[in-house]
Amino acid sequence: MNLTLKNLNKIAVLGTGNVGQAIAKALSSKNYNVTIGTRDVSQTMAKDKPDNMGNLPISIMLKENTNINLSTFQEAIVDADLIVLAVGGSNVFSVLDLAGPIQAETVVIDITNPLDFSKGFPPSLFTDSTESLAEKIQSKYPHIKLVKSLNTMANSIMLTPDVLKDQGSNFICGNDSGAKEIVKELFVTFGWDKTSIIDLGDLSGSRGMEMILPLWIKIFQSILILK
Amino acid sequence: MNLTLKNLNKIAVLGTGNVGQAIAKALSSKNYNVTIGTRDVSQTMAKDKPDNMGNLPISIMLKENTNINLSTFQEAIVDADLIVLAVGGSNVFSVLDLAGPIQAETVVIDITNPLDFSKGFPPSLFTDSTESLAEKIQSKYPHIKLVKSLNTMANSIMLTPDVLKDQGSNFICGNDSGAKEIVKELFVTFGWDKTSIIDLGDLSGSRGMEMILPLWIKIFQSILILK
């Protein structure tokens, strides 16, 4: 069955970090049936302290949002109408391996960034300008409908653009036009102006979207230094 | 002698394309002594037709701006107080080879982008996120004071920001703070608001500045398609 906004119900959000938490909370607030996927549920729930970036553990968020489920990646994607990739870029393929076979034609929103922290901060990218991480994912999983979006903005904005006075640009790209249209419609229900959603065409548009991160991180650093 | 805005007089603009022409015209309009550098003056002047991008040849611009000089790269940089690199990224090192020794401590504004058109349009980058073209130039010529700026915007804006209702961000970075300050002051005399000039710190900030091009080109393409 083709995904439409009307038959969209079960959503799997893969990733328990800030991005996964923000997306899950926003989707759940509109009564979607949200399951967050993680590697090991009991290990994830055992974390009760902020990480070294000051981010709160998901166990606290889940206590306040009892309608959001937590399961393994594999369980999360069962019968999911929509999957959201919200893991660190370097974990994408191990996470998809653990999740197992994704149903053909499933729409997958890819929020990941190919950040390489192995040489410290600021990170470099582990991809180059000839093939993005999104293109690598689509190439390995050609039967899914990958839509790249939201990776260029803070998680506090992604599905809550009303916090902004000026929405700026929400870039989107993907090889399947129908999948992109559903995702755009979904964004509009969360408050994105249609004119703020900039369609960059096929998935090659994700190269530039992923390459904005090094600039973003430098701007962020320069603001922190100024403060 | 340390460069100041007061003693700034002779400026060499290396590059005869749209960027070089726009920069030279703007600088000349404020009565700086501007010399544009090129590979071969007579060959450059012999061109009297637009290139395949529709850009006008420099011979036409020079007829209307008789106070702007044209010379070889080598002649252009003689006694230059300031050098502006406005050539295609893939030509930077051959141009600097032709220009010959640059006086130590010379401030050089680098507007280049490491665009690789060898596989067609849209271009990829011939650098990666661990070393920018600006860093490569500074590394090969450690005695110059390289300042990266203006590469993220259209040449019609670079030194004429008043054409914009909202100036947006003019990023700048470089390893020499004094050189950056002079360049910022210069930008302000051309109408840039101080608050629009975003200092990203040392030259590693240029990685992100150069990586914005693939996104920019995709946005440009999507606008052209819409029109």
Side-chain angles (χ1 to χ4, degrees), chain A residues 110-127:
Chain A
D110 171 25
I111 316 182
T112 66
N113 279 303
L115 298 176
D116 178 0
F117 288 93
S118 68
K119 296 164 207 110
F121 196 88
S124 53
L125 303 185
F126 61 77
T127 51

Side-chain angles (χ1 to χ4, degrees), chain A residues 103-173:
Chain A
Q103 206 177 321
E105 312 283 298
T106 303
V107 177
V108 178
I109 303 178
D110 171 25
I111 316 182
T112 66
N113 279 303
L115 298 176
D116 178 0
F117 288 93
S118 68
K119 296 164 207 110
F121 196 88
S124 53
L125 303 185
F126 61 77
T127 51
D128 62 34
S129 64
T130 62
E131 193 185 26
S132 66
L133 181 54
E135 288 173 297
K136 286 182 198 294
I137 299 169
Q138 184 69 83
S139 172
K140 186 167 178 193
Y141 299 93
H143 65 296
I144 65 173
K145 295 177 176 175
L146 201 71
V147 177
K148 186 93 192 184
S149 196
L150 305 182
N151 71 301
T152 62
M153 65 188 81
N155 66 70
S156 52
I157 298 164
M158 293 176 178
L159 292 182
T160 47
D162 290 342
V163 299
L164 296 168
K165 198 171 155 191
D166 173 356
Q167 295 199 342
S169 298
N170 179 356
F171 299 110
I172 186 169
C173 70

Side-chain angles (χ1 to χ4, degrees), chain A residues 124-125 129 204 211 214-215 218, chain B residues 124-125 129 204 211-212 214 218:
Chain A
S124 53
L125 303 185
S129 64
S204 67
M211 280 189 280
L215 181 63
K218 274 288 174 185
Chain B
S124 53
L125 303 185
S129 64
S204 67
M211 280 189 281
I212 209 166
K218 273 288 171 183

Side-chain angles (χ1 to χ4, degrees), chain A residues 8-16 19-21 23-29 31-39 41 58 61-62 65-87 95 99:
Chain A
L8 173 59
N9 174 34
K10 192 183 169 193
I11 303 176
V13 177
L14 306 188
T16 59
V19 175
Q21 291 186 37
I23 296 291
K25 273 199 317 201
L27 291 169
S28 174
S29 75
N31 296 316
Y32 290 112
N33 174 2
V34 178
T35 302
I36 297 181
T38 190
R39 222 166 273 267
V41 173
I58 198 165
M61 190 276 268
L62 290 172
N65 296 272
T66 52
N67 47 348
I68 298 175
N69 310 297
L70 182 73
S71 73
T72 63
F73 293 124
Q74 194 172 18
E75 288 161 349
I77 67 162
V78 173
D79 296 329
D81 302 310
L82 175 69
I83 296 173
V84 181
L85 279 177
V87 295
V95 165

